[in-house]
């Protein structure tokens, strides 16, 4: 999960373009409260030095933030953080972690209510993960918060055989993609998801702070690693009015 302690903000090398890395880091600083709504961002040269990138890279990152409505550029004054409505937007065709989605919308991600237990796989879970009926799986439940407000309640089922040592769960900070990539050395490559609206049961309603029976967006998802190996079956319940998913629809 994105840490509330930013530490060294300089851009680290990864596969994404530098301007996207710079955009994510500026968003993380906004989400952590380093730059408050209505406040002015530092000049481009100061941001460039802070992030360890060039001014043109910072300029591109700020242009994207302006398009997203997170930052406004005032002629002759600089860039200012907008007062944002409490809404999180994400693309359906991108497999990124929920903490990343929350941070990308300038909110501070956090996790609470983490519960990890061993259970027998239900028929649905066993079928999704290509396991024998009643196989042992880890049940991983947690609630994601966006700047302190409930956003997504998630349940993951993971074959116990994929986690060689139980103590590896100590390293789990809420980002399942990162956990598989770094701790398990099994990076996820894609996921197949089904989306519907269901009535919140009492447990889900309690976590999302809605009334039981309230319609919530549910995403059922099976994630795969290389070789089309299913590794997680997930159920994510999204609080109404908080997370909006977008998709590009093309004419057939």
């Amino acid at each position: 999960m994105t840490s509330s302690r930013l530490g060294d903000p300089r851009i680290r090398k990864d596969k994404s373009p530098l301007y996207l890395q710079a955009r994510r880091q500026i968003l993380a600083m906004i989400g952590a409260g380093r730059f408050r709504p209505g406040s002015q961002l530092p000049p481009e040269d100061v941001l460039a030095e802070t992030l360890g990138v060039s001014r043109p890279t910072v300029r591109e990152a700020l242009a994207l933030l302006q398009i997203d409505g997170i930052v406004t550029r005032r002629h002759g004054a600089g860039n200012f953080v907008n007062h944002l409505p409490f809404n999180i937007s994400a693309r359906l065709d991108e497999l990124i972690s929920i903490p990343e989605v929350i941070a990308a919308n300038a909110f501070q991600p956090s996790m609470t209510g983490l519960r990890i237990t061993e259970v027998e796989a239900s028929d649905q879970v066993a079928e999704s993960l290509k396991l024998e009926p009643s196989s042992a799986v880890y049940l991983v439940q947690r609630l994601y918060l966006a700047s302190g407000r409930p956003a997504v309640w998630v349940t993951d089922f993971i074959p116990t055989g994929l986690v060689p040592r139980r103590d590896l769960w100590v390293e789990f900070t809420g980002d399942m993609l990162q956990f598989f990539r770094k701790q398990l050395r099994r990076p996820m490559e894609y996921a197949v998801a089904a989306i519907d609206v269901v009535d919140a049961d009492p447990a889900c309603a309690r976590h999302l702070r809605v009334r039981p029976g309230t319609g919530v967006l549910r995403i059922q998802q099976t994630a795969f690693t290389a070789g089309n190996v299913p590794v997680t079956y997930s159920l994510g319940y999204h609080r109404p009015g908080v997370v909006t998913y977008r998709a590009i629809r093309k004419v057939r």
Side-chain angles (χ1 to χ4, degrees):
M1 179 185 298
T2 302
S3 173
S4 59
R5 300 187 302 274
L6 290 173
D8 187 351
R10 289 175 297 176
I11 296 299
R12 305 294 185 183
K13 290 184 179 180
D14 66 26
K15 294 180 181 179
S16 60
L18 278 177
Y19 70 91
L20 292 180
Q21 296 181 55
R23 175 186 178 276
R24 287 198 299 267
Q25 192 62 42
I26 295 170
L27 277 170
M29 290 189 283
I30 293 173
R34 190 163 173 178
F35 306 127
R36 299 285 184 179
S39 67
Q40 184 178 8
L41 291 175
E44 290 178 358
D45 58 340
V46 175
L47 278 175
E49 183 177 356
T50 300
L51 299 176
V53 296
S54 66
R55 286 187 65 178
T57 296
V58 167
R59 197 170 297 122
E60 286 187 81
L62 291 172
L64 289 179
L65 294 174
Q66 291 161 23
I67 292 172
D68 292 337
I70 294 171
V71 168
T72 294
R73 181 172 182 80
R74 299 178 190 171
H75 184 68
N79 293 286
F80 292 79
V81 180
N82 291 333
H83 291 273
L84 303 173
F86 189 72
N87 185 265
I88 299 169
S89 180
R91 286 178 53 177
L92 278 172
D93 58 338
E94 291 182 331
L95 182 60
I96 62 176
S97 69
I98 292 173
E100 283 185 283
V101 170
I102 294 172
N105 285 267
F107 297 106
Q108 177 64 28
S110 59
M111 177 186 68
T112 187
L114 177 63
R115 179 171 174 262
I116 304 173
T117 56
E118 285 190 39
V119 299
E120 290 186 357
S122 66
D123 291 343
Q124 175 67 55
V125 171
E127 181 180 356
S128 298
L129 295 176
K130 298 182 180 178
L131 300 173
E132 293 296 323
S134 301
S135 293
V137 294
Y138 282 113
L139 168 67
V140 184
Q141 295 178 301
R142 66 272 190 206
L143 173 68
Y144 291 105
L145 307 175
S147 296
R149 298 181 62 180
V152 187
W153 168 244
V154 178
T155 296
D156 278 321
F157 297 91
I158 301 166
T160 56
L162 293 181
V163 186
R165 303 191 322 274
R166 188 180 178 87
D167 65 331
L168 286 174
W169 285 113
V170 174
E171 305 295 327
F172 180 65
T173 58
D175 188 329
M176 193 62 77
L177 289 174
Q178 184 183 67
F179 181 72
F180 266 81
R181 182 173 60 251
K182 292 188 175 181
Q183 274 66 50
L184 303 186
R185 308 296 182 187
R186 291 173 175 264
M188 297 180 188
E189 292 202 343
Y190 70 97
V192 177
I195 303 170
D196 58 2
V197 175
V198 298
D199 294 337
D201 62 24
C204 179
R206 183 176 68 256
H207 285 98
L208 293 179
R209 297 182 193 170
V210 298
R211 292 181 180 276
T214 298
V216 295
L217 182 71
R218 178 179 67 178
I219 298 182
Q220 302 178 69
Q221 177 174 284
T222 303
F224 297 80
T225 57
N228 300 315
V229 178
V231 289
T232 65
Y233 173 71
S234 305
L235 296 169
Y237 299 90
H238 299 66
R239 187 178 179 186
V242 173
V243 183
T244 300
Y245 284 95
R246 297 173 286 111
I248 298 174
R249 305 179 68 188
K250 298 180 180 179
V251 176
R252 180 177 296 178

